[in-house]
Structure formats: C-alpha cells, structure tokens
Amino acid sequence: VMLVRTELFLDVRYYETDQMGIVHHSNYIRFFECGRSDMMKKVGIPVEKMEEAGVLTAIVAVECRYKHPARMGDTLRIVTVMDKTPTAKIVINSEVYNQDGQLCASGGVTIGFLDKNTLRPMRCPEWMIEMFENYKPE
C-alpha cells in the first residue's frame, strides 16, 4: 500500500558537479531532501507547520545506491515515496532519474520525531498520520 508518492523536477546546477561535469555523490542526499521537503509541503505539513505544532525531526539513517551518473545540463526527476504509516520513525524512499528515464540513484532516509520542548523521541502525531493517509495527488 503506497501512502504518498510525489515527483519533483530539478535542474542540475554547476556547483553540484565535479571537473568532469558529473554530479558529486554527496548531492544525491540533498536531492532526496528536496524531494522529501516537497512531499511534506504537498501533503500539507511543511517543516514550519510541524515545528509550530511542537514536532522536530532528526535523521536516523540515510542509504544511497548509485546507478548512473547525473550530469551538468540534466533535468532530474525525484520520486519520493512513503509506503508505511509512520510510528516513532518515518521511512521515506527516493529515486532520482535523469530526463532519459535512467535511474541515477535510489535510497532512503529514516527520520525520528522529537518533542520540540523536551527534545525527547515521540510518536508521529495522529494529525500528521491523518494528513498522510488522506493525501490525494493533484
């Protein structure tokens, strides 16, 4: 069961590449974050709204598998998927494709929820779970 799936398009910027015009491996983690941020906004839970509600997030783990180099001039499609209802943690998977549909990288991020006041771990608030479960793509 797929809860949420979103897509975001980004152009590769010069500073993201090395001398050979290939995207540096560290930037894929940023692309994942761009996709994740875009997903949260589309669901109706931008970071500011979460923080106003007293919820912070902390990255617990990141995984990235590199398949095909993205290059200067490419337009990337970042596919972001959350297929499990969040509990104390949320797992968000990402795939980065170039304009030819080639998979450049795939991976995922595990994020924990923290109470903003105590900085202690907490479960995903019920109101957020409802927003994920009620998400309908445009």
Side-chain angles (χ1 to χ4, degrees), residues 2-31:
M2 189 178 314
L3 231 57
V4 180
R5 180 186 185 280
T6 60
E7 290 189 8
L8 172 70
F9 291 87
L10 292 177
D11 291 329
V12 171
R13 291 156 293 208
Y14 180 73
Y15 74 87
E16 295 167 330
T17 62
D18 61 18
Q19 286 182 310
M20 297 174 289
I22 293 173
V23 170
H24 189 270
H25 69 274
S26 63
N27 286 300
Y28 291 94
I29 306 301
R30 283 190 173 143
F31 298 153

Short mmCIF file of all heavy atoms in Angstrom, two decimals, residues 2-31:
data_model
loop_
_atom_site.label_atom_id
_atom_site.label_comp_id
_atom_site.label_asym_id
_atom_site.label_seq_id
_atom_site.Cartn_x
_atom_site.Cartn_y
_atom_site.Cartn_z
N MET A 2 0.74 2.06 -1.03
CA MET A 2 1.54 3.28 -1.09
C MET A 2 0.73 4.41 -0.47
O MET A 2 -0.37 4.70 -0.90
CB MET A 2 1.89 3.61 -2.53
CG MET A 2 2.90 4.74 -2.62
SD MET A 2 3.37 5.12 -4.31
CE MET A 2 3.67 3.52 -5.01
N LEU A 3 1.27 5.01 0.57
CA LEU A 3 0.60 6.11 1.25
C LEU A 3 0.73 7.39 0.44
O LEU A 3 -0.26 8.02 0.10
CB LEU A 3 1.23 6.30 2.63
CG LEU A 3 0.30 6.35 3.83
CD1 LEU A 3 -0.54 5.09 3.93
CD2 LEU A 3 1.09 6.56 5.09
N VAL A 4 1.98 7.75 0.14
CA VAL A 4 2.24 9.01 -0.55
C VAL A 4 3.34 8.79 -1.59
O VAL A 4 4.34 8.13 -1.31
CB VAL A 4 2.70 10.10 0.45
CG1 VAL A 4 2.98 11.41 -0.28
CG2 VAL A 4 1.68 10.32 1.56
N ARG A 5 3.13 9.37 -2.78
CA ARG A 5 4.15 9.35 -3.84
C ARG A 5 4.11 10.70 -4.53
O ARG A 5 3.05 11.13 -4.97
CB ARG A 5 3.86 8.25 -4.86
CG ARG A 5 4.88 8.19 -5.99
CD ARG A 5 4.44 7.17 -7.05
NE ARG A 5 5.45 7.00 -8.07
CZ ARG A 5 5.64 7.84 -9.10
NH1 ARG A 5 4.89 8.92 -9.23
NH2 ARG A 5 6.58 7.60 -9.99
N THR A 6 5.26 11.39 -4.57
CA THR A 6 5.32 12.69 -5.23
C THR A 6 6.51 12.74 -6.17
O THR A 6 7.43 11.91 -6.07
CB THR A 6 5.44 13.84 -4.20
OG1 THR A 6 6.63 13.66 -3.42
CG2 THR A 6 4.23 13.91 -3.27
N GLU A 7 6.48 13.70 -7.07
CA GLU A 7 7.58 13.91 -8.01
C GLU A 7 7.97 15.38 -8.00
O GLU A 7 7.11 16.25 -7.91
CB GLU A 7 7.17 13.51 -9.43
CG GLU A 7 7.01 12.02 -9.60
CD GLU A 7 6.83 11.60 -11.05
OE1 GLU A 7 6.97 12.46 -11.96
OE2 GLU A 7 6.55 10.42 -11.27
N LEU A 8 9.26 15.61 -8.12
CA LEU A 8 9.81 16.97 -8.18
C LEU A 8 10.87 16.98 -9.27
O LEU A 8 11.65 16.04 -9.39
CB LEU A 8 10.45 17.32 -6.83
CG LEU A 8 11.23 18.63 -6.75
CD1 LEU A 8 10.29 19.83 -6.85
CD2 LEU A 8 12.02 18.69 -5.45
N PHE A 9 10.89 18.04 -10.07
CA PHE A 9 11.90 18.18 -11.13
C PHE A 9 12.91 19.25 -10.73
O PHE A 9 12.53 20.31 -10.27
CB PHE A 9 11.23 18.54 -12.46
CG PHE A 9 10.41 17.41 -13.01
CD1 PHE A 9 9.09 17.25 -12.62
CD2 PHE A 9 10.97 16.48 -13.88
CE1 PHE A 9 8.32 16.19 -13.10
CE2 PHE A 9 10.22 15.42 -14.36
CZ PHE A 9 8.89 15.27 -13.98
N LEU A 10 14.19 18.92 -10.88
CA LEU A 10 15.28 19.86 -10.57
C LEU A 10 16.31 19.83 -11.70
O LEU A 10 16.63 18.76 -12.20
CB LEU A 10 16.00 19.44 -9.29
CG LEU A 10 15.29 19.53 -7.95
CD1 LEU A 10 16.21 18.99 -6.87
CD2 LEU A 10 14.91 20.96 -7.66
N ASP A 11 16.83 21.00 -12.04
CA ASP A 11 17.93 21.06 -13.00
C ASP A 11 19.24 20.92 -12.23
O ASP A 11 19.40 21.50 -11.16
CB ASP A 11 17.93 22.40 -13.74
CG ASP A 11 16.74 22.53 -14.68
OD1 ASP A 11 16.29 21.49 -15.22
OD2 ASP A 11 16.27 23.65 -14.87
N VAL A 12 20.18 20.14 -12.79
CA VAL A 12 21.50 20.03 -12.18
C VAL A 12 22.18 21.40 -12.29
O VAL A 12 22.20 22.00 -13.36
CB VAL A 12 22.35 18.95 -12.88
CG1 VAL A 12 23.79 19.00 -12.39
CG2 VAL A 12 21.74 17.57 -12.64
N ARG A 13 22.72 21.86 -11.17
CA ARG A 13 23.41 23.15 -11.15
C ARG A 13 24.92 22.92 -11.20
O ARG A 13 25.41 21.91 -10.72
CB ARG A 13 23.01 23.93 -9.89
CG ARG A 13 21.52 24.35 -9.99
CD ARG A 13 20.91 24.57 -8.66
NE ARG A 13 20.82 23.31 -7.92
CZ ARG A 13 19.90 23.06 -7.01
NH1 ARG A 13 19.00 23.95 -6.70
NH2 ARG A 13 19.88 21.90 -6.38
N TYR A 14 25.62 23.87 -11.76
CA TYR A 14 27.05 23.75 -11.98
C TYR A 14 27.80 23.37 -10.70
O TYR A 14 28.66 22.48 -10.70
CB TYR A 14 27.60 25.06 -12.56
CG TYR A 14 29.09 25.02 -12.80
CD1 TYR A 14 29.61 24.29 -13.86
CD2 TYR A 14 29.97 25.70 -11.96
CE1 TYR A 14 30.98 24.25 -14.09
CE2 TYR A 14 31.33 25.66 -12.18
CZ TYR A 14 31.84 24.93 -13.24
OH TYR A 14 33.18 24.88 -13.46
N TYR A 15 27.46 24.02 -9.58
CA TYR A 15 28.20 23.77 -8.34
C TYR A 15 27.98 22.36 -7.78
O TYR A 15 28.71 21.94 -6.89
CB TYR A 15 27.88 24.83 -7.28
CG TYR A 15 26.52 24.70 -6.63
CD1 TYR A 15 26.34 23.87 -5.52
CD2 TYR A 15 25.43 25.39 -7.11
CE1 TYR A 15 25.10 23.74 -4.91
CE2 TYR A 15 24.19 25.27 -6.52
CZ TYR A 15 24.02 24.45 -5.42
OH TYR A 15 22.80 24.31 -4.83
N GLU A 16 27.02 21.63 -8.33
CA GLU A 16 26.76 20.26 -7.86
C GLU A 16 27.63 19.24 -8.59
O GLU A 16 27.59 18.05 -8.27
CB GLU A 16 25.27 19.91 -8.06
CG GLU A 16 24.37 20.76 -7.19
CD GLU A 16 22.91 20.69 -7.57
OE1 GLU A 16 22.58 20.48 -8.76
OE2 GLU A 16 22.07 20.85 -6.66
N THR A 17 28.42 19.71 -9.56
CA THR A 17 29.21 18.79 -10.37
C THR A 17 30.71 18.88 -10.07
O THR A 17 31.18 19.85 -9.48
CB THR A 17 28.99 19.07 -11.88
OG1 THR A 17 29.45 20.39 -12.17
CG2 THR A 17 27.53 18.95 -12.26
N ASP A 18 31.42 17.85 -10.52
CA ASP A 18 32.89 17.86 -10.37
C ASP A 18 33.51 18.34 -11.68
O ASP A 18 32.80 18.80 -12.57
CB ASP A 18 33.38 16.45 -9.98
CG ASP A 18 33.06 15.39 -11.02
OD1 ASP A 18 32.77 15.73 -12.19
OD2 ASP A 18 33.10 14.20 -10.66
N GLN A 19 34.82 18.22 -11.82
CA GLN A 19 35.51 18.73 -13.01
C GLN A 19 35.10 18.01 -14.29
O GLN A 19 35.30 18.52 -15.38
CB GLN A 19 37.02 18.63 -12.83
CG GLN A 19 37.54 19.70 -11.88
CD GLN A 19 39.06 19.61 -11.76
OE1 GLN A 19 39.60 18.53 -11.52
NE2 GLN A 19 39.73 20.72 -11.92
N MET A 20 34.52 16.81 -14.15
CA MET A 20 34.09 16.06 -15.33
C MET A 20 32.63 16.34 -15.69
O MET A 20 32.08 15.73 -16.59
CB MET A 20 34.29 14.56 -15.09
CG MET A 20 35.75 14.18 -14.89
SD MET A 20 35.98 12.45 -14.42
CE MET A 20 35.35 12.46 -12.75
N GLY A 21 32.00 17.28 -14.94
CA GLY A 21 30.60 17.61 -15.21
C GLY A 21 29.62 16.59 -14.66
O GLY A 21 28.45 16.57 -15.04
N ILE A 22 30.10 15.73 -13.76
CA ILE A 22 29.26 14.69 -13.15
C ILE A 22 28.84 15.15 -11.76
O ILE A 22 29.65 15.71 -11.01
CB ILE A 22 30.04 13.35 -13.08
CG1 ILE A 22 30.28 12.84 -14.51
CG2 ILE A 22 29.31 12.32 -12.24
CD1 ILE A 22 31.16 11.62 -14.60
N VAL A 23 27.58 14.89 -11.42
CA VAL A 23 27.07 15.28 -10.10
C VAL A 23 27.87 14.55 -9.02
O VAL A 23 28.03 13.32 -9.07
CB VAL A 23 25.57 14.96 -9.97
CG1 VAL A 23 25.09 15.14 -8.53
CG2 VAL A 23 24.76 15.86 -10.91
N HIS A 24 28.38 15.30 -8.04
CA HIS A 24 29.13 14.74 -6.92
C HIS A 24 28.18 13.88 -6.08
O HIS A 24 27.03 14.25 -5.84
CB HIS A 24 29.74 15.86 -6.08
CG HIS A 24 30.69 15.35 -5.05
ND1 HIS A 24 30.28 15.01 -3.78
CD2 HIS A 24 32.02 15.10 -5.10
CE1 HIS A 24 31.33 14.58 -3.09
NE2 HIS A 24 32.40 14.63 -3.88
N HIS A 25 28.69 12.73 -5.62
CA HIS A 25 27.85 11.76 -4.90
C HIS A 25 27.10 12.35 -3.70
O HIS A 25 26.00 11.95 -3.40
CB HIS A 25 28.67 10.54 -4.47
CG HIS A 25 29.67 10.84 -3.40
ND1 HIS A 25 30.93 11.31 -3.69
CD2 HIS A 25 29.58 10.76 -2.06
CE1 HIS A 25 31.59 11.48 -2.55
NE2 HIS A 25 30.78 11.17 -1.55
N SER A 26 27.69 13.33 -3.03
CA SER A 26 27.06 13.89 -1.83
C SER A 26 25.76 14.63 -2.14
O SER A 26 24.90 14.77 -1.27
CB SER A 26 28.03 14.84 -1.12
OG SER A 26 28.32 15.95 -1.96
N ASN A 27 25.61 15.07 -3.37
CA ASN A 27 24.42 15.85 -3.72
C ASN A 27 23.15 15.02 -3.81
O ASN A 27 22.05 15.57 -3.70
CB ASN A 27 24.64 16.62 -5.02
CG ASN A 27 25.58 17.78 -4.78
OD1 ASN A 27 25.30 18.67 -3.99
ND2 ASN A 27 26.72 17.76 -5.45
N TYR A 28 23.26 13.71 -3.98
CA TYR A 28 22.05 12.89 -4.06
C TYR A 28 21.28 12.92 -2.74
O TYR A 28 20.05 12.91 -2.73
CB TYR A 28 22.38 11.45 -4.47
CG TYR A 28 22.84 11.40 -5.91
CD1 TYR A 28 24.19 11.47 -6.23
CD2 TYR A 28 21.91 11.35 -6.95
CE1 TYR A 28 24.62 11.45 -7.55
CE2 TYR A 28 22.34 11.33 -8.28
CZ TYR A 28 23.68 11.38 -8.57
OH TYR A 28 24.09 11.37 -9.88
N ILE A 29 22.00 13.02 -1.63
CA ILE A 29 21.35 13.13 -0.32
C ILE A 29 20.54 14.44 -0.28
O ILE A 29 19.43 14.48 0.24
CB ILE A 29 22.38 13.09 0.84
CG1 ILE A 29 23.27 11.84 0.74
CG2 ILE A 29 21.69 13.19 2.19
CD1 ILE A 29 22.57 10.51 0.78
N ARG A 30 21.10 15.50 -0.86
CA ARG A 30 20.37 16.77 -0.96
C ARG A 30 19.16 16.63 -1.86
O ARG A 30 18.10 17.18 -1.56
CB ARG A 30 21.28 17.86 -1.55
CG ARG A 30 22.25 18.41 -0.58
CD ARG A 30 22.89 19.64 -1.22
NE ARG A 30 23.72 20.31 -0.23
CZ ARG A 30 24.87 20.87 -0.52
NH1 ARG A 30 25.33 20.87 -1.74
NH2 ARG A 30 25.56 21.47 0.42
N PHE A 31 19.30 15.92 -2.97
CA PHE A 31 18.15 15.72 -3.87
C PHE A 31 17.05 14.97 -3.13
O PHE A 31 15.87 15.29 -3.28
CB PHE A 31 18.56 14.95 -5.13
CG PHE A 31 19.59 15.64 -5.99
CD1 PHE A 31 20.43 14.90 -6.80
CD2 PHE A 31 19.71 17.03 -6.01
CE1 PHE A 31 21.37 15.52 -7.61
CE2 PHE A 31 20.65 17.67 -6.82
CZ PHE A 31 21.48 16.90 -7.62
#
